[in-house]
Each structure stands twice: as C-alpha cells, then as structure tokens.
Amino acid sequence: MDTLSSGKDLLFTLLLKVGVAASFAAMLARWTAFRKVLFTEIRDSDQKVKLLLFMTPPLAIGVMLRLVSPAYRFADLSLEGSFLLGLLGGRVVGPMGGSLVSLPAFFNHEWLSTPSAAFAGLLGGLIRQAIPNKEEIWNFGPFTFLNIPRAVFRLFRHVQLSWEMLPLMASVCLEIAHVALVHATKPSWLFVVDVRHVWE
C-alpha cells in the first residue's frame, strides 16, 4: 500500500492516471484494426481476442512500471482498465483481460490483484449487458460526473433513468470496495493508493 502525504500528491497522481489513460487511448486509436474491432457492436470470438490483444499489453506494462518503482504508481490502471474491458468487450473479455493485466502483480505476491481485476471486468461486462441501448456506453467518460444534476432531474421529473450513470456509480463503488478490501486484508496482497493521511 502506497501512502500519499498531501492532497497535492493525490491530485497529481490522479491527473497522471488520466494522462496515462489518454496516452494509451491515443496510441490505440491510431490503428485502423483496433478502431474496427472497437466499434463493432456484436463481436465474434476472433474479434474479442483482438480486443484483448490490443488492450491488455499497455495495461500490463503500466502494472509492471508500478512494480519497478513506487514513483510510477500512477501507471497502474489494472482496476480501471479491467472495468473498461468489460464495459467494451462484455462478460468474457472483461474477466479474461483483468486476469491477464494483473498477472505481473500476482507474481509479485499481490494475491488479490487477479480476483479483484477479474471481478472488475465481470462487473463491467454485466453493466454492458444491462444497458438496453449500447450507444449509451459511449456517453461514459472522465467527465460524466458533471451530468449528475441533469440525471437526477430527469429521474425525478420524467422518471427516466440515465444509463450513463450506471457505469459511473459502479466504478465509484468498485473503488470503495477495493480500498475496503485492502484495509480488511494484508496491504501487501493488493495495491491501492492510500489516502488516509491526505484528509487529516
């Protein structure tokens, strides 16, 4: 478990995580084959394997960078990446991708990394299955939280559920459960950026 000493460290780490995710996305979006697989709504098994092959190596490299040095803790996007794999690929791609991404951490004796990443991928896949219009998935992004007031208004005024809020709430609950799991078990079994001293 890696403890941050101030709110500035936390903010800087989160901004670097967004930067790493954006650089991965920019790198992957350059390939026509990846875009073709990504925007295909119903994928066969070959396309699911291609999606795994495109997305898991950069995420696994991020985990390995974090293992090399604590200074690269921002590069570990295993939980977020696994959830996104499930959200984009479904119930099979999510757990498989999460398991593959977290293997470097598992071999570093972080025993809960693979089950938690696989669960995050499965949760993303279940959310994908629950959303009736799959186009709603593309509304989910880093600034979805800005739409919370509008979604609450639509819910109470028109009794209409905003499906883009489902992945947002799931990712918040997933992160809270991830931190709680670290505090309930040995901190060396699962990586999380510890923010206990930030708010004091």
Side-chain angles (χ1 to χ4, degrees), residues 38-52:
L38 184 64
F39 294 126
T40 302
E41 190 56 48
I42 299 172
R43 299 181 187 94
D44 58 14
S45 57
D46 290 343
Q47 290 171 324
K48 289 179 181 179
V49 169
K50 284 181 185 176
L51 186 64
L52 277 173

Side-chain angles (χ1 to χ4, degrees), residues 144-163:
T144 305
F145 69 93
L146 296 174
N147 296 334
I148 291 175
R150 185 180 66 180
V152 170
F153 178 77
R154 284 171 58 188
L155 180 64
F156 289 117
R157 181 75 182 238
H158 305 291
V159 193
Q160 183 180 4
L161 184 63
S162 181
W163 287 102

